[in-house]
Amino acid sequence: MVAVRIQVVVEETERAEFRRQARLEGQSLSAWLRQAGRARIAEQASTARFSSPESLAAFFQRCDRRADSGTEPDWAEHRRVAEDSRRRGLTET
């Protein structure tokens, strides 16, 4: 492994906050920043991705099961309310 140096521009208050946290965790600022970067990469890698149309459909089915059992108003009713509101310039709520 060949180590390289990078420069990161942060506000002075951020640097102090990062350094303080690194010390609390018993690390140098550099080690703390590397660990934070690795954690961010690992977090992104572990985020669930939809691998197929079926996995997407299964996701929406799970969402539907968790959703409130109420029904949505009829689309024609939505349009009527919106059009009435536009004519009056007021909302019904």
Side-chain angles (χ1 to χ4, degrees), residues 10-20 29:
V10 296
E11 297 290 326
E12 191 173 326
T13 55
E14 289 176 313
R15 182 186 67 177
E17 185 178 8
F18 294 167
R19 185 174 282 160
R20 183 174 32 258
L29 178 57

Side-chain angles (χ1 to χ4, degrees), residues 34-78:
R34 284 192 304 274
Q35 182 181 8
R38 286 187 200 108
R40 181 81 185 261
I41 290 169
E43 178 183 310
Q44 291 295 319
S46 69
T47 302
R49 304 264 194 269
F50 298 113
S51 58
S52 67
E54 293 77 21
S55 67
L56 180 61
F59 167 77
F60 282 117
Q61 288 173 354
R62 287 191 306 274
C63 290
D64 288 344
R65 284 193 297 270
R66 285 187 290 208
D68 184 58
S69 61
T71 58
E72 292 186 26
D74 181 66
W75 177 244
E77 177 66 12
H78 276 294

Side-chain angles (χ1 to χ4, degrees), residues 18-36 38:
F18 294 167
R19 185 174 282 160
R20 183 174 32 258
Q21 187 62 38
R23 284 185 188 143
L24 285 171
E25 295 179 22
Q27 296 179 320
S28 68
L29 178 57
S30 292
W32 186 83
L33 288 170
R34 284 192 304 274
Q35 182 181 8
R38 286 187 200 108

